[in-house]
Amino acid sequence: MNSFPHLLAPLDLGFVTLKNRVLMGSMHTNLEETGDWGRVNAFYARRAEGGVGLMVTGGIAPNREGAVFPGAAGLFKDRDIVNHRGMTDAVHAAGGRIAMQILHAGRYAYGPDCVAPSALKSPISPFAPTAIDATGIEKQIADFVTSAVRAREAGYDGVEIMGSEGYFINEFLVARTNRRDDEWGGDYANRMRLPVEIVSRVREAVGPDFIIIYRLSMIDLVPDGSTFDEVVALAKAVEAAGATIINTGIGWHEARVPTIATSVPRAAFTWVTKKLMGHVGIPVITSNRINRPEVAEAVLAEGCADMVSMARPLLADPDFVVKSATGRAHLIAPCIACNQACLDHTFAGKLTSCLVNPRACHETQIPEGHAATVKTVAVVGAGPAGVAVAVTAAERGHKVTVFEKDARVGGQINYAKMVPGKEEFHGFVEWMEASLAAAGVDLRLNTAAKADDLSGFDEVIIASGVAPRAAGIPGEDLPHVLTYAQVLSGAPVGDRVAVIGAGGIGFDVSEYLVTDRDGPESIADWKANWGVGDPAETRGGLDPRGPHPHAPARQVVMLQRKAEKLGRRLGKTTGWIHRAQLDLMKVDMQGGVSYERITPEGLVVRRGEDGTEELIPADNVVICAGQNSVRDLADALAARGQSCHIIGGADVAAELDAKRAIDQGVRLAATL
Ligand code: NAP
Ligand code: SF4
């Protein structure tokens, strides 16, 4: 009996049986756009090898007007079919199955040719769409059908018709974006005609033995979204039209509710999918913030769905399923839902990867496998950079010793994990510990390495990290002035706090200071915080009361010298969430200040060159002014003429994050 009987149970679809209940959800990686199909093939084949039941590709446009951005991947020409065929062959050879997502972006398409049911611009796009006429709608449907037929020719096991997230099909479903008065608008029967026609005509064209997944928006999280009665009506209609599986979509891209960020509790939306169970006879998939096999197993055991979609977790670890099935779940690289190397890259037009697994989408560039010559390797520091280089080097067959001055591994991540909404980082540290042990690394905790300890190793790697930087403000040595490290280590803090610095850590510390709870937020509290309601009671699932968070635990003023909006440089897909949360918590965010001095009463600032002095009363002042590299040992080695590699924060402290640290560590280890 395995530990995950529901998750690892096969799913019989009639004409084909999936080997387990794990769907790798669609992710736009920008890999296809590189034109390097060797890389595309390696990415998907590697995940097929890891045992996932079914994969869905990133969105493939049915036509040029529906492409997410000009030049986005489509399946327009015979040459495209040949390319895709190479990939599906690679997936099948690795024992996997794959469906192609057909994504028509509608008014979200980033270009002037975008089309939509009505000429209503989205709040997140600069382009106003053209309202499509009835002939145009017929063309779009025909293009979906052609795309599905080509997908079948290209060897796919099926298609996913993207009907959620506020894209083209979704736009027809709700009055917010569909103001038509012809047979494609008006009452719900007319508004849902488009998806039903698409599914039915695709089914007719591809025959009975081809998977059609319909991705259905079960909670739109926008005003005037669908009701749950409409969701059920649509689900039944697409089932009757020939869909094989219904997948869950959560929230439109323009929704002001986070849906996948790390602060969203695990499995926060499975209750929505569960409401649909029993209304249709075909399998239903649930989604969003399911990142561990234990969570997926519980979701299935509770009857929330027949199958679980995980996208980013399969970037983080292609072996998610095989590790779950072989008693190695503790070694699954955890998706911490940070978006830093995946969605933030996608939206910046960069290739997707993964913070915890830099090999993702770089499979051909950072190959796995053993080194030709076994070496002895010393690593100083067991933060993200040190652990990454140590584990990767040990997996390549080297004999690795890690010296860590603290009592545990993780470095700066041990501060991050104390931040409310970043509870996933606990699992990140635990995974680092488990990986070091499994790779056979000789880990020496509570050991501050000296230069003498490092002689005799073939390779020495300094990953000694960073230390908080002083702000250089008069009065900084007063007892009520704390570093972020002291605060996040549990130092007592008064009711009124001034936070100096508004980078990622200033935001994290402010969130810590205004939040009063132990452990992860409950789903009920999180829903109240963001104003999420039940779509059975309120259109789109928005609580008519709006967000109603807990009262802030403290009065916090967060400051920076730059005159720009605070948080402007935070992650593209998550920065708005941090800003919105601090707004909800009434944090006073002030830019354009200069710091005059710290006094026992608080912080004295001046606004602008000619501004008058102003006291911000504070019981404590917390310094979050960035970091400096810790590289004494590297300097000592250099003085002795001993060569070493320097990585992570010890290398460059500026804008250090775990993504850069881990990437540098893994890439270095791959060369040893
Ligand atoms: P940071 O992003 O460099 O921010 C430092 C802050 O301190 C800035 O607001 C800066 O603003 C201020 N500052 C700099 N020098 C100062 C001085 N001498 N006196 C007073 N203020 C000063 O550093 P961080 O916040 O420590 O973050 C470090 C790294 O961790 C960053 O790369 C960050 O991206 C990463 N991180 C990421 C996350 C995440 O959620 N992804 C969370 C935490 C940290 P002014 O110069 O305008 O005053
Ligand atoms: Fe998950 Fe972050 Fe990796 Fe994206 S970059 S897959 S969110 S761990």
CSV table of all heavy atoms in Angstrom, one decimal, residues 86-115:
chain,number,residue,atom,x,y,z
A,86,GLY,N,7.7,15.9,-33.0
A,86,GLY,CA,9.0,15.4,-32.4
A,86,GLY,C,8.9,15.4,-30.9
A,86,GLY,O,9.3,14.5,-30.2
A,87,MET,N,8.2,16.4,-30.3
A,87,MET,CA,8.0,16.5,-28.9
A,87,MET,C,7.0,15.5,-28.4
A,87,MET,O,7.3,14.8,-27.4
A,87,MET,CB,7.5,17.9,-28.5
A,87,MET,CG,7.4,18.2,-27.0
A,87,MET,SD,5.8,17.9,-26.4
A,87,MET,CE,5.0,19.4,-26.8
A,88,THR,N,5.9,15.3,-29.0
A,88,THR,CA,5.0,14.2,-28.5
A,88,THR,C,5.6,12.8,-28.6
A,88,THR,O,5.4,12.0,-27.8
A,88,THR,CB,3.6,14.3,-29.3
A,88,THR,OG1,3.9,14.1,-30.7
A,88,THR,CG2,2.9,15.6,-29.1
A,89,ASP,N,6.4,12.6,-29.7
A,89,ASP,CA,7.2,11.3,-29.8
A,89,ASP,C,8.1,11.2,-28.6
A,89,ASP,O,8.2,10.1,-28.0
A,89,ASP,CB,8.0,11.3,-31.1
A,89,ASP,CG,7.1,11.0,-32.3
A,89,ASP,OD1,5.9,10.7,-32.1
A,89,ASP,OD2,7.6,11.2,-33.4
A,90,ALA,N,8.8,12.2,-28.2
A,90,ALA,CA,9.7,12.1,-27.1
A,90,ALA,C,8.9,11.9,-25.8
A,90,ALA,O,9.4,11.1,-24.9
A,90,ALA,CB,10.5,13.4,-26.9
A,91,VAL,N,7.8,12.5,-25.6
A,91,VAL,CA,7.0,12.3,-24.4
A,91,VAL,C,6.5,10.8,-24.4
A,91,VAL,O,6.6,10.2,-23.4
A,91,VAL,CB,5.8,13.3,-24.4
A,91,VAL,CG1,4.7,12.9,-23.4
A,91,VAL,CG2,6.3,14.7,-24.1
A,92,HIS,N,6.0,10.4,-25.5
A,92,HIS,CA,5.4,9.0,-25.5
A,92,HIS,C,6.6,8.0,-25.3
A,92,HIS,O,6.4,7.0,-24.6
A,92,HIS,CB,4.7,8.7,-26.8
A,92,HIS,CG,3.5,9.6,-27.0
A,92,HIS,ND1,3.0,10.0,-28.2
A,92,HIS,CD2,2.6,10.0,-26.1
A,92,HIS,CE1,1.9,10.7,-28.0
A,92,HIS,NE2,1.6,10.7,-26.7
A,93,ALA,N,7.7,8.3,-25.8
A,93,ALA,CA,8.9,7.3,-25.6
A,93,ALA,C,9.2,7.3,-24.2
A,93,ALA,O,9.7,6.2,-23.7
A,93,ALA,CB,10.1,7.8,-26.5
A,94,ALA,N,9.0,8.4,-23.4
A,94,ALA,CA,9.3,8.4,-22.0
A,94,ALA,C,8.1,7.9,-21.2
A,94,ALA,O,8.1,8.0,-19.9
A,94,ALA,CB,9.7,9.8,-21.6
A,95,GLY,N,7.1,7.4,-21.8
A,95,GLY,CA,5.9,6.8,-21.1
A,95,GLY,C,4.9,7.8,-20.7
A,95,GLY,O,4.0,7.5,-19.8
A,96,GLY,N,4.9,9.0,-21.2
A,96,GLY,CA,4.0,10.0,-20.8
A,96,GLY,C,2.8,10.3,-21.8
A,96,GLY,O,2.8,9.6,-22.9
A,97,ARG,N,1.9,11.1,-21.4
A,97,ARG,CA,0.8,11.6,-22.3
A,97,ARG,C,0.7,13.1,-22.2
A,97,ARG,O,1.0,13.7,-21.2
A,97,ARG,CB,-0.5,11.0,-21.9
A,97,ARG,CG,-0.6,9.5,-22.0
A,97,ARG,CD,-2.0,8.9,-21.8
A,97,ARG,NE,-1.9,7.5,-22.0
A,97,ARG,CZ,-1.9,6.8,-23.1
A,97,ARG,NH1,-2.0,7.5,-24.3
A,97,ARG,NH2,-1.9,5.5,-23.1
A,98,ILE,N,0.3,13.7,-23.3
A,98,ILE,CA,0.3,15.1,-23.4
A,98,ILE,C,-0.8,15.7,-24.2
A,98,ILE,O,-1.1,15.1,-25.3
A,98,ILE,CB,1.7,15.7,-23.8
A,98,ILE,CG1,1.8,17.2,-23.7
A,98,ILE,CG2,2.0,15.2,-25.3
A,98,ILE,CD1,3.2,17.8,-23.7
A,99,ALA,N,-1.4,16.7,-23.7
A,99,ALA,CA,-2.5,17.4,-24.4
A,99,ALA,C,-2.0,18.8,-24.7
A,99,ALA,O,-1.2,19.4,-24.0
A,99,ALA,CB,-3.8,17.5,-23.6
A,100,MET,N,-2.5,19.4,-25.8
A,100,MET,CA,-2.1,20.7,-26.2
A,100,MET,C,-3.1,21.7,-25.8
A,100,MET,O,-4.3,21.5,-26.1
A,100,MET,CB,-1.9,20.8,-27.7
A,100,MET,CG,-1.3,22.1,-28.2
A,100,MET,SD,-1.2,22.2,-30.0
A,100,MET,CE,-2.9,22.9,-30.4
A,101,GLN,N,-2.7,22.7,-25.1
A,101,GLN,CA,-3.7,23.8,-24.8
A,101,GLN,C,-3.9,24.7,-25.9
A,101,GLN,O,-3.0,25.3,-26.5
A,101,GLN,CB,-3.3,24.6,-23.5
A,101,GLN,CG,-4.5,25.5,-23.1
A,101,GLN,CD,-4.1,26.4,-22.0
A,101,GLN,OE1,-3.4,27.4,-22.2
A,101,GLN,NE2,-4.6,26.2,-20.8
A,102,ILE,N,-5.2,24.9,-26.3
A,102,ILE,CA,-5.5,25.9,-27.3
A,102,ILE,C,-6.0,27.2,-26.5
A,102,ILE,O,-7.0,27.1,-25.8
A,102,ILE,CB,-6.6,25.4,-28.3
A,102,ILE,CG1,-6.3,24.0,-28.8
A,102,ILE,CG2,-6.8,26.4,-29.4
A,102,ILE,CD1,-7.4,23.5,-29.7
A,103,LEU,N,-5.2,28.2,-26.7
A,103,LEU,CA,-5.5,29.4,-25.9
A,103,LEU,C,-5.7,30.6,-26.8
A,103,LEU,O,-4.8,31.0,-27.6
A,103,LEU,CB,-4.2,29.7,-25.0
A,103,LEU,CG,-4.2,31.1,-24.4
A,103,LEU,CD1,-5.4,31.4,-23.5
A,103,LEU,CD2,-2.9,31.3,-23.6
A,104,HIS,N,-6.9,31.1,-26.8
A,104,HIS,CA,-7.2,32.3,-27.5
A,104,HIS,C,-7.3,33.4,-26.5
A,104,HIS,O,-8.1,33.4,-25.6
A,104,HIS,CB,-8.5,32.2,-28.3
A,104,HIS,CG,-8.8,33.3,-29.2
A,104,HIS,ND1,-8.8,34.6,-28.8
A,104,HIS,CD2,-9.2,33.3,-30.5
A,104,HIS,CE1,-9.1,35.4,-29.9
A,104,HIS,NE2,-9.4,34.6,-30.9
A,105,ALA,N,-6.4,34.4,-26.6
A,105,ALA,CA,-6.3,35.4,-25.5
A,105,ALA,C,-7.4,36.5,-25.5
A,105,ALA,O,-7.5,37.2,-24.5
A,105,ALA,CB,-4.9,36.0,-25.6
A,106,GLY,N,-8.2,36.6,-26.6
A,106,GLY,CA,-9.2,37.6,-26.6
A,106,GLY,C,-8.7,39.0,-26.4
A,106,GLY,O,-7.6,39.4,-26.9
A,107,ARG,N,-9.3,39.7,-25.4
A,107,ARG,CA,-8.9,41.1,-25.2
A,107,ARG,C,-7.6,41.2,-24.4
A,107,ARG,O,-7.0,42.2,-24.2
A,107,ARG,CB,-10.0,41.9,-24.5
A,107,ARG,CG,-10.3,41.5,-23.1
A,107,ARG,CD,-11.3,42.4,-22.5
A,107,ARG,NE,-11.5,42.2,-21.1
A,107,ARG,CZ,-12.1,43.1,-20.3
A,107,ARG,NH1,-12.5,44.3,-20.8
A,107,ARG,NH2,-12.2,42.9,-19.0
A,108,TYR,N,-7.1,40.0,-23.9
A,108,TYR,CA,-5.8,40.0,-23.2
A,108,TYR,C,-4.6,39.9,-24.2
A,108,TYR,O,-3.5,40.0,-23.8
A,108,TYR,CB,-5.7,38.9,-22.2
A,108,TYR,CG,-6.5,39.0,-20.9
A,108,TYR,CD1,-6.8,37.9,-20.2
A,108,TYR,CD2,-6.9,40.3,-20.4
A,108,TYR,CE1,-7.4,38.0,-19.0
A,108,TYR,CE2,-7.6,40.4,-19.2
A,108,TYR,CZ,-7.9,39.2,-18.5
A,108,TYR,OH,-8.6,39.3,-17.3
A,109,ALA,N,-4.9,39.6,-25.5
A,109,ALA,CA,-3.9,39.5,-26.5
A,109,ALA,C,-3.1,40.8,-26.5
A,109,ALA,O,-3.7,41.9,-26.7
A,109,ALA,CB,-4.4,39.1,-27.8
A,110,TYR,N,-1.8,40.8,-26.4
A,110,TYR,CA,-1.0,42.0,-26.3
A,110,TYR,C,-0.7,42.5,-27.7
A,110,TYR,O,0.4,42.4,-28.2
A,110,TYR,CB,0.3,41.7,-25.5
A,110,TYR,CG,0.8,42.9,-24.9
A,110,TYR,CD1,0.3,43.5,-23.7
A,110,TYR,CD2,1.9,43.6,-25.4
A,110,TYR,CE1,0.8,44.6,-23.1
A,110,TYR,CE2,2.4,44.8,-24.9
A,110,TYR,CZ,1.9,45.3,-23.7
A,110,TYR,OH,2.4,46.4,-23.2
A,111,GLY,N,-1.7,43.1,-28.4
A,111,GLY,CA,-1.5,43.6,-29.7
A,111,GLY,C,-2.7,44.3,-30.2
A,111,GLY,O,-3.8,44.1,-29.7
A,112,PRO,N,-2.6,45.2,-31.2
A,112,PRO,CA,-3.7,46.0,-31.6
A,112,PRO,C,-4.7,45.2,-32.4
A,112,PRO,O,-5.8,45.7,-32.6
A,112,PRO,CB,-3.0,47.0,-32.5
A,112,PRO,CG,-1.7,46.4,-33.0
A,112,PRO,CD,-1.3,45.5,-31.9
A,113,ASP,N,-4.4,43.9,-32.8
A,113,ASP,CA,-5.4,43.1,-33.6
A,113,ASP,C,-6.3,42.3,-32.7
A,113,ASP,O,-7.0,41.4,-33.1
A,113,ASP,CB,-4.7,42.2,-34.5
A,113,ASP,CG,-3.8,43.0,-35.5
A,113,ASP,OD1,-4.2,44.1,-35.8
A,113,ASP,OD2,-2.8,42.4,-36.0
A,114,CYS,N,-6.3,42.5,-31.4
A,114,CYS,CA,-7.0,41.6,-30.5
A,114,CYS,C,-8.5,41.8,-30.7
A,114,CYS,O,-9.0,42.9,-31.1
A,114,CYS,CB,-6.6,41.9,-29.0
A,114,CYS,SG,-6.9,43.5,-28.4
A,115,VAL,N,-9.2,40.7,-30.5
A,115,VAL,CA,-10.7,40.7,-30.7
A,115,VAL,C,-11.4,40.2,-29.4
A,115,VAL,O,-10.8,39.4,-28.6
A,115,VAL,CB,-11.1,39.8,-31.9
A,115,VAL,CG1,-10.5,40.3,-33.2
A,115,VAL,CG2,-10.6,38.3,-31.7
